[in-house]
């Protein structure tokens, strides 16, 4: 089947979060299952054209937004040697020549994000109109691409559309004024919705043939907890028949301690000596005491409240008192970054904070830490806890969304991590202490590591679920 896969981030070209990892890995897996995957994404100036062999195709055109004409050029990466898997980029310097993907360095979103991603979507519609692509199915991701289903239906384009939600917190709101940027017939359709707030997400829910999110538990929570689906709670419940949850997988080569290209010391569940060497390297990198007996806890994530940083910040002092070492990687909110920085200045031998995204360090943290904390308030899927499990780095997580679907609480007999049920600092601290106490019992710890490392988190099952959904949707058309 011909599939057009549209995403605002695709790893390894551009990455702000897990969406990129999924958009890098899922099409690869589907192409291996003989689907014709054509991935399309913006060509941000941060994308390394040389490294990835990205060249102009010579295709260019212009689209109208309101009364203004904008040019776009199509580029293609020659990195994939698989004819089933092609990667195209939309280039326009005005919109994509920035130092970030969505935000300024201080974490504030670009003021013209509505324009930028509307432009991206209009270019895709233009390419479809001109017959450059002939997909039977279009797979859209998150609000940056959520107007495509509406536009596809309005132009009566003969393809099915699947809309995947990676995070309901970002819905792509727009105002009355923004409507003038849309083609008139589309704006008219949007006006028919008497929402107090218009959002791209609402349009995606309404017009896609099917909608899914990235874990079964998050899907359930969105339907049952109005606090998670906000003003679209009723709308979401009204489309239950076409809504589902499919758990993300993890790339089997890139996130595998035996083959990870970023690691100097490889290891597997059969022999964890490489993990010890990674720990020593990480301790040295952070300027900590290089000692295998000291528990080392990793954390990687966008610095936003919903990832549980308030719980971490209020428990850190108590955990530092127990001699634990902490390494943090992540950027975002200035307040959270300042909080972590203050700890790292006060306790340089125990807390290390890295604000610049660094892919190699992310891999070293996953491999070298003993534990990984991810106390997210809610979590659509979460990938770092999955990488942690695969690396024998025991996760401490809140029982929510994809975290609940992937980590099994250690009950003294079986388990792959430490899970707490109520989102509170005290419950998080208890789970941390439970993990630290267990860590000192080497045999038990190894048992948990074995349980974690031998679970299957490959894309196989999930890719199959997507493939079935694709076929089901196109058959119905
Ligand atoms: C978003 C979600 C995260 C999910 C990722 C990929 O970043 O916040 O939970 O794992 O998308 O689907």
């Amino acid at each position: 089947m011909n599939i057009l896969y549209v995403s605002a981030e695709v790893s390894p070209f551009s990455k702000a979060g897990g969406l990129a990892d999924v958009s890098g890995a899922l099409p690869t897996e589907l192409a291996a299952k003989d689907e014709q995957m054509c991935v399309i994404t913006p060509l941000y100036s941060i994308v390394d054209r040389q490294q990835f062999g990205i060249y102009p195709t010579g295709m260019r055109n212009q689209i109208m937004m309101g009364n203004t004409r904008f040019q776009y050029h199509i580029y293609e990466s020659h990195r994939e040697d698989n004819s089933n898997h092609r990667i195209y980029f939309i280039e326009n310097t005005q919109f994509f020549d920035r130092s970030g993907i969505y935000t300024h360095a201080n974490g504030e979103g670009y003021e013209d994000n509505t324009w930028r991603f509307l432009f991206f979507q209009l270019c895709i519609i233009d390419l479809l109109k001109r017959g450059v692509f002939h997909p039977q199915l279009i797979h859209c991701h998150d609000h940056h691409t959520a107007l495509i289903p509406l536009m596809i239906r309005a132009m009566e384009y003969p393809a099915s559309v699947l809309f995947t939600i990676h995070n309901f917190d970002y819905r792509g709101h727009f105002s009355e004024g923004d409507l003038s940027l849309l083609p008139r017939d589309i704006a008219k359709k949007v006006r028919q919705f008497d929402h107090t707030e218009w959002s791209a997400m609402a349009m995606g829910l309404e017009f896609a043939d099917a909608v899914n999110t990235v874990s079964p538990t998050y899907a359930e929570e969105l339907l049952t907890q109005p606090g998670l689906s906000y003003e679209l709670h009723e709308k979401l419940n009204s489309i239950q028949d076409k809504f589902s949850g499919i758990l993300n997988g993890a790339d089997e080569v890139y996130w595998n301690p035996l083959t990870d290209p970023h690691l100097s010391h490889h290891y597997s569940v059969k022999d964890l000596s490489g993990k010890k060497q990674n720990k020593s390297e990480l301790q040295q990198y952070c300027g900590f005491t290089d000692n295998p007996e000291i528990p080392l806890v990793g954390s990687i994530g966008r610095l936003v409240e919903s990832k549980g940083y308030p719980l971490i910040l209020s428990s850190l002092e108590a955990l530092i008192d127990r001699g634990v070492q902490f390494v943090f990687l992540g950027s975002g909110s200035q307040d959270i970054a300042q909080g972590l920085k203050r700890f790292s200045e006060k306790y340089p031998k125990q807390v290390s904070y890295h604000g610049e995204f660094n892919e190699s360090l992310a891999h070293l943290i996953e491999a070298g830490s003993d534990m990984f904390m991810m106390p997210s308030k809610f979590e659509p899927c979460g990938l770092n806890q999955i990488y942690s499990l695969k690396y024998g780095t025991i996760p401490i997580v809140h029982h929510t969304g994809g975290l609940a679907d992937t980590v099994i609480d250690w009950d003294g007999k079986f388990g792959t991590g430490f899970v707490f049920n109520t989102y509170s600092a005290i419950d998080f601290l208890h789970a941390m202490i439970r993990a630290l106490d267990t860590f000192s019992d080497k045999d038990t710890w190894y048992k948990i590591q074995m349980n974690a490392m031998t679970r299957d988190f490959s894309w196989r099952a999930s890719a199959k679920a997507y493939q079935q959904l694709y076929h089901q949707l196109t058959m119905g058309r």
Side-chain angles (χ1 to χ4, degrees), residues 40 56-65 68-75 89-96 119-133:
I40 188 156
T57 59
M59 264 187 283
R60 60 175 69 189
N61 202 17
Q62 33 195 332
I63 54 109
M64 294 294 289
M65 274 206 292
T68 318
R69 208 174 281 283
F70 295 91
Q71 282 257 350
Y72 71 88
H73 290 200
I74 301 297
Y75 282 59
F89 298 85
I90 289 182
E91 193 249 19
N92 168 294
T93 43
Q94 179 181 345
F95 292 126
F96 302 130
F119 167 77
F120 175 53
Q121 298 177 83
L122 288 170
C123 292
I124 286 161
I125 295 298
D126 189 54
L127 289 165
L128 290 171
K129 273 191 186 146
R130 290 166 54 216
V132 176
F133 301 119

Short mmCIF file of all heavy atoms in Angstrom, two decimals, residues 40 56-65 68-75 89-96 119-133:
data_model
loop_
_atom_site.label_atom_id
_atom_site.label_comp_id
_atom_site.label_asym_id
_atom_site.label_seq_id
_atom_site.Cartn_x
_atom_site.Cartn_y
_atom_site.Cartn_z
N ILE A 40 7.16 12.60 5.03
CA ILE A 40 7.40 14.01 4.66
C ILE A 40 7.39 14.89 5.90
O ILE A 40 6.56 14.73 6.79
CB ILE A 40 6.43 14.46 3.54
CG1 ILE A 40 6.81 15.85 3.04
CG2 ILE A 40 4.98 14.41 3.96
CD1 ILE A 40 6.35 16.15 1.63
N PRO A 56 18.13 18.82 -3.09
CA PRO A 56 16.90 19.31 -3.72
C PRO A 56 16.46 18.37 -4.84
O PRO A 56 17.31 17.83 -5.55
CB PRO A 56 17.27 20.69 -4.27
CG PRO A 56 18.75 20.81 -4.17
CD PRO A 56 19.26 19.73 -3.26
N THR A 57 15.15 18.19 -4.98
CA THR A 57 14.67 17.32 -6.06
C THR A 57 14.41 18.15 -7.31
O THR A 57 14.13 17.60 -8.37
CB THR A 57 13.32 16.68 -5.68
OG1 THR A 57 12.40 17.75 -5.43
CG2 THR A 57 13.43 15.80 -4.45
N GLY A 58 14.46 19.46 -7.16
CA GLY A 58 14.11 20.33 -8.28
C GLY A 58 12.62 20.67 -8.28
O GLY A 58 12.19 21.59 -8.96
N MET A 59 11.84 19.94 -7.48
CA MET A 59 10.40 20.24 -7.42
C MET A 59 10.19 21.46 -6.54
O MET A 59 10.70 21.52 -5.42
CB MET A 59 9.66 19.07 -6.79
CG MET A 59 9.08 18.11 -7.77
SD MET A 59 8.08 16.93 -6.88
CE MET A 59 9.28 15.85 -6.18
N ARG A 60 9.44 22.38 -7.06
CA ARG A 60 9.11 23.56 -6.25
C ARG A 60 7.77 24.10 -6.70
O ARG A 60 7.33 23.84 -7.82
CB ARG A 60 10.19 24.63 -6.40
CG ARG A 60 10.37 25.10 -7.84
CD ARG A 60 11.34 26.22 -7.93
NE ARG A 60 12.70 25.74 -7.63
CZ ARG A 60 13.74 26.55 -7.48
NH1 ARG A 60 13.58 27.85 -7.55
NH2 ARG A 60 14.93 26.06 -7.26
N ASN A 61 7.15 24.82 -5.82
CA ASN A 61 5.88 25.46 -6.21
C ASN A 61 5.56 26.53 -5.17
O ASN A 61 6.37 26.80 -4.28
CB ASN A 61 4.76 24.41 -6.30
CG ASN A 61 3.61 24.90 -7.18
OD1 ASN A 61 3.76 25.84 -7.96
ND2 ASN A 61 2.47 24.27 -7.05
N GLN A 62 4.38 27.10 -5.29
CA GLN A 62 3.98 28.07 -4.29
C GLN A 62 2.55 27.81 -3.85
O GLN A 62 1.77 27.23 -4.59
CB GLN A 62 4.13 29.48 -4.83
CG GLN A 62 3.89 29.63 -6.30
CD GLN A 62 4.42 30.94 -6.80
OE1 GLN A 62 4.49 31.89 -6.03
NE2 GLN A 62 4.80 31.01 -8.04
N ILE A 63 2.27 28.25 -2.65
CA ILE A 63 0.90 28.12 -2.14
C ILE A 63 0.46 29.49 -1.62
O ILE A 63 1.30 30.37 -1.37
CB ILE A 63 0.78 27.08 -1.00
CG1 ILE A 63 1.77 27.38 0.14
CG2 ILE A 63 1.03 25.67 -1.51
CD1 ILE A 63 1.13 27.87 1.36
N MET A 64 -0.84 29.67 -1.45
CA MET A 64 -1.37 30.93 -0.92
C MET A 64 -1.79 30.71 0.52
O MET A 64 -2.47 29.73 0.83
CB MET A 64 -2.62 31.35 -1.71
CG MET A 64 -2.39 31.70 -3.15
SD MET A 64 -1.39 33.19 -3.35
CE MET A 64 -2.53 34.48 -2.82
N MET A 65 -1.39 31.62 1.39
CA MET A 65 -1.96 31.64 2.74
C MET A 65 -2.55 33.03 2.88
O MET A 65 -1.81 34.02 2.83
CB MET A 65 -0.90 31.44 3.81
CG MET A 65 -0.63 29.96 4.08
SD MET A 65 0.00 29.69 5.74
CE MET A 65 1.58 30.43 5.66
N THR A 68 -1.20 36.03 0.69
CA THR A 68 0.24 36.03 0.44
C THR A 68 0.68 34.71 -0.18
O THR A 68 0.17 33.65 0.17
CB THR A 68 1.01 36.26 1.76
OG1 THR A 68 0.32 37.27 2.49
CG2 THR A 68 2.43 36.67 1.52
N ARG A 69 1.62 34.84 -1.09
CA ARG A 69 2.13 33.69 -1.80
C ARG A 69 3.43 33.23 -1.13
O ARG A 69 4.28 34.07 -0.82
CB ARG A 69 2.47 34.18 -3.23
CG ARG A 69 2.40 33.17 -4.31
CD ARG A 69 2.62 33.88 -5.66
NE ARG A 69 1.41 34.56 -6.13
CZ ARG A 69 0.38 33.93 -6.69
NH1 ARG A 69 0.42 32.63 -6.85
NH2 ARG A 69 -0.67 34.60 -7.09
N PHE A 70 3.57 31.94 -0.91
CA PHE A 70 4.81 31.42 -0.30
C PHE A 70 5.36 30.29 -1.16
O PHE A 70 4.61 29.44 -1.62
CB PHE A 70 4.54 30.88 1.11
CG PHE A 70 4.11 31.93 2.10
CD1 PHE A 70 2.76 32.22 2.28
CD2 PHE A 70 5.05 32.65 2.82
CE1 PHE A 70 2.36 33.19 3.18
CE2 PHE A 70 4.65 33.62 3.73
CZ PHE A 70 3.30 33.89 3.90
N GLN A 71 6.67 30.31 -1.30
CA GLN A 71 7.37 29.29 -2.11
C GLN A 71 7.75 28.08 -1.26
O GLN A 71 8.06 28.24 -0.08
CB GLN A 71 8.72 29.89 -2.53
CG GLN A 71 8.68 30.86 -3.65
CD GLN A 71 9.16 30.19 -4.93
OE1 GLN A 71 9.67 29.08 -4.90
NE2 GLN A 71 8.95 30.87 -6.05
N TYR A 72 7.75 26.93 -1.85
CA TYR A 72 8.37 25.80 -1.17
C TYR A 72 9.19 24.98 -2.16
O TYR A 72 8.91 24.98 -3.36
CB TYR A 72 7.32 24.92 -0.47
CG TYR A 72 6.42 24.11 -1.36
CD1 TYR A 72 6.79 22.83 -1.79
CD2 TYR A 72 5.18 24.61 -1.79
CE1 TYR A 72 5.96 22.08 -2.61
CE2 TYR A 72 4.34 23.86 -2.61
CZ TYR A 72 4.74 22.59 -3.03
OH TYR A 72 3.92 21.85 -3.85
N HIS A 73 10.19 24.30 -1.63
CA HIS A 73 11.04 23.40 -2.42
C HIS A 73 10.98 22.03 -1.78
O HIS A 73 10.93 21.92 -0.56
CB HIS A 73 12.50 23.85 -2.39
CG HIS A 73 12.75 25.11 -3.13
ND1 HIS A 73 13.99 25.49 -3.58
CD2 HIS A 73 11.90 26.10 -3.51
CE1 HIS A 73 13.89 26.64 -4.20
NE2 HIS A 73 12.64 27.05 -4.16
N ILE A 74 11.05 21.00 -2.61
CA ILE A 74 11.07 19.64 -2.06
C ILE A 74 12.49 19.08 -2.12
O ILE A 74 13.15 19.14 -3.17
CB ILE A 74 10.14 18.70 -2.87
CG1 ILE A 74 8.71 19.23 -2.85
CG2 ILE A 74 10.17 17.28 -2.31
CD1 ILE A 74 8.10 19.27 -1.48
N TYR A 75 12.93 18.57 -1.00
CA TYR A 75 14.24 17.91 -0.90
C TYR A 75 14.01 16.43 -0.60
O TYR A 75 12.95 16.06 -0.12
CB TYR A 75 15.06 18.53 0.23
CG TYR A 75 15.69 19.86 -0.11
CD1 TYR A 75 14.93 20.95 -0.48
CD2 TYR A 75 17.08 20.03 -0.02
CE1 TYR A 75 15.50 22.17 -0.79
CE2 TYR A 75 17.66 21.25 -0.33
CZ TYR A 75 16.87 22.31 -0.71
OH TYR A 75 17.46 23.52 -1.01
N PHE A 89 11.45 16.36 2.27
CA PHE A 89 11.44 17.52 3.16
C PHE A 89 10.84 18.71 2.44
O PHE A 89 11.06 18.88 1.23
CB PHE A 89 12.88 17.89 3.55
CG PHE A 89 13.59 16.81 4.31
CD1 PHE A 89 14.25 15.79 3.62
CD2 PHE A 89 13.62 16.81 5.70
CE1 PHE A 89 14.92 14.79 4.31
CE2 PHE A 89 14.29 15.80 6.39
CZ PHE A 89 14.94 14.80 5.70
N ILE A 90 10.14 19.55 3.19
CA ILE A 90 9.62 20.79 2.61
C ILE A 90 10.48 21.93 3.12
O ILE A 90 10.65 22.10 4.33
CB ILE A 90 8.14 20.97 2.99
CG1 ILE A 90 7.35 19.94 2.20
CG2 ILE A 90 7.68 22.40 2.70
CD1 ILE A 90 5.88 19.97 2.40
N GLU A 91 11.03 22.67 2.18
CA GLU A 91 11.94 23.74 2.56
C GLU A 91 11.33 25.10 2.28
O GLU A 91 10.70 25.32 1.25
CB GLU A 91 13.25 23.58 1.79
CG GLU A 91 14.37 24.43 2.33
CD GLU A 91 14.78 25.56 1.41
OE1 GLU A 91 14.00 25.94 0.50
OE2 GLU A 91 15.88 26.09 1.59
N ASN A 92 11.47 26.00 3.26
CA ASN A 92 11.12 27.41 3.09
C ASN A 92 11.89 28.13 4.20
O ASN A 92 11.68 27.84 5.38
CB ASN A 92 9.61 27.60 3.25
CG ASN A 92 9.23 29.07 3.37
OD1 ASN A 92 9.59 29.74 4.34
ND2 ASN A 92 8.54 29.58 2.38
N THR A 93 12.77 29.03 3.82
CA THR A 93 13.65 29.62 4.85
C THR A 93 12.88 30.48 5.85
O THR A 93 13.18 30.45 7.04
CB THR A 93 14.77 30.46 4.21
OG1 THR A 93 14.18 31.22 3.18
CG2 THR A 93 15.87 29.60 3.66
N GLN A 94 11.87 31.19 5.38
CA GLN A 94 11.14 32.07 6.30
C GLN A 94 10.55 31.29 7.48
O GLN A 94 10.58 31.74 8.62
CB GLN A 94 10.01 32.77 5.53
CG GLN A 94 9.20 33.68 6.43
CD GLN A 94 8.08 34.36 5.64
OE1 GLN A 94 8.06 34.37 4.41
NE2 GLN A 94 7.14 34.94 6.36
N PHE A 95 10.05 30.10 7.21
CA PHE A 95 9.38 29.35 8.28
C PHE A 95 10.28 28.36 9.01
O PHE A 95 10.05 28.06 10.17
CB PHE A 95 8.17 28.59 7.72
CG PHE A 95 7.06 29.51 7.29
CD1 PHE A 95 6.53 29.44 6.01
CD2 PHE A 95 6.57 30.46 8.17
CE1 PHE A 95 5.51 30.29 5.62
CE2 PHE A 95 5.55 31.32 7.79
CZ PHE A 95 5.03 31.24 6.51
N PHE A 96 11.26 27.82 8.31
CA PHE A 96 11.99 26.71 8.94
C PHE A 96 13.45 27.00 9.22
O PHE A 96 14.17 26.13 9.71
CB PHE A 96 11.82 25.44 8.10
CG PHE A 96 10.37 25.04 7.94
CD1 PHE A 96 9.84 24.75 6.69
CD2 PHE A 96 9.53 24.99 9.04
CE1 PHE A 96 8.50 24.41 6.54
CE2 PHE A 96 8.18 24.66 8.90
CZ PHE A 96 7.67 24.37 7.65
N PHE A 119 1.35 26.27 6.77
CA PHE A 119 2.12 26.29 5.52
C PHE A 119 2.53 24.86 5.13
O PHE A 119 2.33 24.41 4.00
CB PHE A 119 3.35 27.19 5.68
CG PHE A 119 4.36 27.05 4.59
CD1 PHE A 119 4.15 27.64 3.35
CD2 PHE A 119 5.53 26.31 4.77
CE1 PHE A 119 5.07 27.49 2.32
CE2 PHE A 119 6.45 26.15 3.75
CZ PHE A 119 6.22 26.75 2.52
N PHE A 120 3.09 24.15 6.09
CA PHE A 120 3.53 22.77 5.87
C PHE A 120 2.37 21.92 5.32
O PHE A 120 2.51 21.21 4.32
CB PHE A 120 4.06 22.22 7.21
CG PHE A 120 4.44 20.76 7.21
CD1 PHE A 120 5.33 20.25 6.28
CD2 PHE A 120 3.93 19.90 8.19
CE1 PHE A 120 5.68 18.90 6.30
CE2 PHE A 120 4.29 18.55 8.21
CZ PHE A 120 5.17 18.06 7.26
N GLN A 121 1.21 22.06 5.95
CA GLN A 121 0.06 21.23 5.54
C GLN A 121 -0.46 21.64 4.16
O GLN A 121 -0.84 20.79 3.36
CB GLN A 121 -1.06 21.34 6.58
CG GLN A 121 -0.62 20.81 7.94
CD GLN A 121 -1.69 20.98 9.00
OE1 GLN A 121 -2.59 20.18 9.12
NE2 GLN A 121 -1.61 22.06 9.77
N LEU A 122 -0.44 22.95 3.90
CA LEU A 122 -0.93 23.40 2.58
C LEU A 122 0.00 22.92 1.47
O LEU A 122 -0.45 22.63 0.36
CB LEU A 122 -1.08 24.93 2.56
CG LEU A 122 -2.26 25.46 3.40
CD1 LEU A 122 -2.18 26.99 3.54
CD2 LEU A 122 -3.61 25.06 2.78
N CYS A 123 1.29 22.84 1.76
CA CYS A 123 2.24 22.32 0.76
C CYS A 123 1.90 20.86 0.45
O CYS A 123 1.94 20.43 -0.70
CB CYS A 123 3.68 22.39 1.27
SG CYS A 123 4.27 24.06 1.43
N ILE A 124 1.56 20.10 1.50
CA ILE A 124 1.24 18.69 1.28
C ILE A 124 -0.02 18.55 0.43
O ILE A 124 -0.07 17.76 -0.51
CB ILE A 124 1.13 17.97 2.64
CG1 ILE A 124 2.57 17.81 3.16
CG2 ILE A 124 0.45 16.62 2.51
CD1 ILE A 124 2.70 17.54 4.58
N ILE A 125 -1.00 19.38 0.73
CA ILE A 125 -2.24 19.35 -0.08
C ILE A 125 -1.91 19.71 -1.53
O ILE A 125 -2.39 19.09 -2.47
CB ILE A 125 -3.29 20.32 0.54
CG1 ILE A 125 -3.71 19.84 1.93
CG2 ILE A 125 -4.49 20.49 -0.39
CD1 ILE A 125 -4.37 18.47 1.97
N ASP A 126 -1.04 20.70 -1.70
CA ASP A 126 -0.65 21.11 -3.05
C ASP A 126 0.03 19.96 -3.80
O ASP A 126 -0.26 19.70 -4.96
CB ASP A 126 0.29 22.32 -2.93
CG ASP A 126 0.57 22.95 -4.29
OD1 ASP A 126 -0.41 23.29 -4.99
OD2 ASP A 126 1.76 23.07 -4.66
N LEU A 127 0.90 19.25 -3.10
CA LEU A 127 1.60 18.11 -3.73
C LEU A 127 0.62 17.01 -4.13
O LEU A 127 0.78 16.37 -5.16
CB LEU A 127 2.66 17.55 -2.76
CG LEU A 127 3.87 18.46 -2.56
CD1 LEU A 127 4.66 18.02 -1.33
CD2 LEU A 127 4.77 18.44 -3.79
N LEU A 128 -0.41 16.83 -3.29
CA LEU A 128 -1.42 15.80 -3.62
C LEU A 128 -2.23 16.24 -4.84
O LEU A 128 -2.48 15.46 -5.75
CB LEU A 128 -2.34 15.57 -2.42
CG LEU A 128 -1.70 14.87 -1.22
CD1 LEU A 128 -2.65 14.89 -0.02
CD2 LEU A 128 -1.32 13.42 -1.55
N LYS A 129 -2.59 17.52 -4.84
CA LYS A 129 -3.37 18.05 -5.97
C LYS A 129 -2.61 17.91 -7.28
O LYS A 129 -3.18 17.62 -8.31
CB LYS A 129 -3.64 19.54 -5.74
CG LYS A 129 -4.88 19.81 -4.95
CD LYS A 129 -5.23 21.29 -5.00
CE LYS A 129 -6.39 21.57 -4.05
NZ LYS A 129 -6.30 22.89 -3.44
N ARG A 130 -1.30 18.12 -7.19
CA ARG A 130 -0.49 18.06 -8.41
C ARG A 130 -0.09 16.62 -8.77
O ARG A 130 0.63 16.41 -9.73
CB ARG A 130 0.76 18.93 -8.23
CG ARG A 130 0.41 20.42 -8.20
CD ARG A 130 1.56 21.25 -7.70
NE ARG A 130 2.76 21.01 -8.45
CZ ARG A 130 3.99 21.00 -7.96
NH1 ARG A 130 4.17 21.24 -6.69
NH2 ARG A 130 5.02 20.76 -8.72
N GLY A 131 -0.53 15.67 -7.96
CA GLY A 131 -0.27 14.26 -8.29
C GLY A 131 1.17 13.83 -8.05
O GLY A 131 1.61 12.82 -8.60
N VAL A 132 1.91 14.57 -7.23
CA VAL A 132 3.29 14.17 -6.94
C VAL A 132 3.30 12.88 -6.11
O VAL A 132 4.13 12.02 -6.30
CB VAL A 132 4.04 15.31 -6.20
CG1 VAL A 132 5.44 14.87 -5.81
CG2 VAL A 132 4.08 16.56 -7.07
N PHE A 133 2.37 12.79 -5.17
CA PHE A 133 2.20 11.55 -4.40
C PHE A 133 0.82 10.97 -4.69
O PHE A 133 -0.12 11.73 -4.97
CB PHE A 133 2.28 11.83 -2.89
CG PHE A 133 3.56 12.47 -2.47
CD1 PHE A 133 3.56 13.73 -1.87
CD2 PHE A 133 4.77 11.80 -2.64
CE1 PHE A 133 4.75 14.31 -1.46
CE2 PHE A 133 5.95 12.39 -2.23
CZ PHE A 133 5.95 13.65 -1.65
#
